[in-house]
Amino acid sequence: MCDSTAALLSMIAPLVTIYLGFPMLFLGFVGNLLTLLVFLSLETFRQSSCAFYLTMASFINTFHLFTGLLTFIVINGIGDSWLNASLIYCKFRQYFTQFLATQSNVRWYRFNNVKLARYIFLGLLLCLVFLLVPYLIFYNHIISASTGKVVCAITNAIFSKYNDFAQSLFVLIIIPMFIMTVFGLLAYRNVQNISYRTIPLVRRELEKQLTSMVLVQVFYNVPVMTPMLIATFYNGVAGSTLNACDRIKMGITINLCILWYYLFAVGAFYIYISVSKRFRQQLIYVLFNMLWEQFRRRFKHNLVEPQKQ
């Protein structure tokens, strides 16, 4: 019974990974691209530290989708591991995945001015570059004892335990969730107090818009990360006591939780257009009043030039 259940799950899991993973990848790429178009096209967002954070988060989420989610789909859905084919990718993929996941979950840029937010972002970036160096050192190609093939794996036992429990559980899930919850509550308080602050009306509306967008995104990410938290914690505590069949089920469960976890890099744009009428109007303005008009002018210019010649 156990063997048949494990076999069935092993057959279904790759299909779920493929048929959910690729739509997530497409929707995430399109959503992040449209978010970047809005934030980079409108002058009003360039003076806001919160908009600066959201812009950087969109860049980071886009790279995370391709370095993390796409590789995850290829390995666990298609069954072809790029990590085993290239030692460089074996080392750098996990490094960049950890780096981008950590960067994209920082929520406190909005409480600084733009210049300070940029310095903080750069400082955090440099710190993470050095803190994640062990991934470049301890991820290597080894010969699998069970298959006899080259696989990408951690070659240091101590770092392996740290990565499986401390890094995955605390750095990527618990700490970001704590930060998001705290600053989500602060964002809610900020929304409540905006009407009493003596600032220009345009800036007040912008702060209200961005704060609401960030607030909803914060509480969206909590249920997205929670299944991964539970599965990682359970596997770290009880994983060594599971029998072979249960370990297969646990591995499949963790993979599905990882797929669900990547929704944090997918949903931002769709949250923004759902909760902010102003963002929807800004998106329409950028697409049809700015980009479409530029395309029309260039198209007319290209038609006129040959006639002059």
Side-chain angles (χ1 to χ4, degrees):
M1 181 65 183
C2 178
D3 292 338
S4 62
T5 302
L8 179 62
L9 292 175
S10 298
M11 181 180 65
I12 294 175
L15 298 177
V16 173
T17 300
I18 292 172
Y19 289 109
L20 287 183
F22 279 117
M24 286 171 56
L25 182 67
F26 174 76
L27 291 173
F29 174 72
V30 172
N32 285 310
L33 179 62
L34 291 175
T35 301
L36 289 171
L37 281 175
V38 174
F39 286 137
L40 295 177
S41 300
L42 299 177
E43 181 71 26
T44 184
F45 290 116
R46 298 175 189 172
Q47 304 303 318
S48 168
S49 59
C50 184
F52 169 78
Y53 154 70
L54 294 177
T55 303
M56 292 299 100
S58 295
F59 273 117
I60 291 169
N61 286 339
T62 301
F63 282 106
H64 199 185
L65 287 172
F66 285 97
T67 59
L69 178 58
L70 179 58
T71 303
F72 178 83
I73 296 170
V74 171
I75 294 174
N76 296 281
I78 300 175
D80 183 14
S81 180
W82 297 340
L83 303 177
N84 300 340
S86 170
L87 178 60
I88 294 177
Y89 194 62
C90 169
K91 289 179 173 290
F92 278 91
R93 186 259 180 178
Q94 191 66 21
Y95 176 85
F96 281 115
T97 300
Q98 297 282 335
F99 172 78
L100 295 173
T102 307
Q103 281 283 333
S104 62
N105 282 304
V106 177
R107 302 283 163 181
W108 35 261
Y109 296 123
R110 67 174 311 282
F111 295 97
N112 311 288
N113 58 52
V114 177
K115 187 175 181 180
L116 181 58
R118 290 171 181 169
Y119 283 128
I120 291 175
F121 182 86
L122 180 60
L124 182 61
L125 185 149
L126 293 175
C127 289
L128 288 173
V129 165
F130 291 104
L131 287 174
L132 296 176
V133 165
Y135 285 93
L136 300 178
I137 299 174
F138 296 124
Y139 263 93
N140 290 289
H141 278 172
I142 61 173
I143 304 298
S144 172
S146 59
T147 64
K149 297 181 179 180
V150 175
V151 295
C152 177
I154 298 175
T155 54
N156 181 279
I158 297 176
F159 182 71
S160 179
K161 292 181 179 179
Y162 165 79
N163 179 71
D164 291 342
F165 195 75
Q167 176 75 8
S168 300
L169 188 61
F170 287 94
V171 177
L172 295 183
I173 303 176
I174 292 180
I175 294 176
M177 286 181 65
F178 174 76
I179 293 174
M180 286 187 297
T181 301
V182 171
F183 285 98
L185 294 174
L186 291 176
Y188 175 76
R189 182 180 179 184
N190 187 58
V191 170
Q192 299 297 106
N193 294 332
I194 281 177
S195 59
Y196 301 102
R197 295 166 58 185
T198 56
I199 57 176
L201 180 61
V202 174
R203 183 181 172 186
R204 179 185 302 174
E205 290 301 315
L206 177 62
E207 284 199 13
K208 186 176 180 179
Q209 172 194 1
L210 293 175
T211 302
S212 300
M213 288 161 55
V214 171
L215 176 63
V216 176
Q217 188 179 356
V218 165
F219 289 104
Y220 161 84
N221 284 343
V222 171
V224 165
M225 293 181 175
T226 299
M228 186 63 180
L229 168 65
I230 297 172
T232 303
F233 180 78
Y234 180 79
N235 187 57
V237 173
S240 59
T241 64
L242 300 176
N243 58 42
C245 185
D246 288 337
R247 281 198 296 270
I248 294 175
K249 295 178 182 178
M250 192 69 225
I252 295 172
T253 300
I254 290 176
N255 283 344
L256 294 177
C257 289
I258 292 174
L259 186 64
W260 179 262
Y261 173 82
Y262 277 109
L263 284 172
F264 85 85
V266 175
F269 168 77
Y270 305 99
I271 291 172
Y272 302 159
I273 61 174
S274 298
V275 304
S276 175
K277 179 181 178 181
R278 188 176 181 183
F279 186 83
R280 295 194 295 270
Q281 294 171 340
Q282 290 163 336
L283 175 65
I284 294 172
Y285 175 79
V286 169
L287 290 178
F288 296 102
N289 291 63
M290 296 180 67
L291 297 181
W292 176 247
E293 286 301 321
Q294 290 179 10
F295 173 78
R296 287 182 57 189
R297 286 197 295 267
R298 290 181 181 179
F299 183 74
K300 289 181 179 180
H301 177 75
N302 292 335
L303 289 178
V304 172
E305 284 295 326
Q307 294 177 2
K308 289 183 179 180
Q309 295 176 356

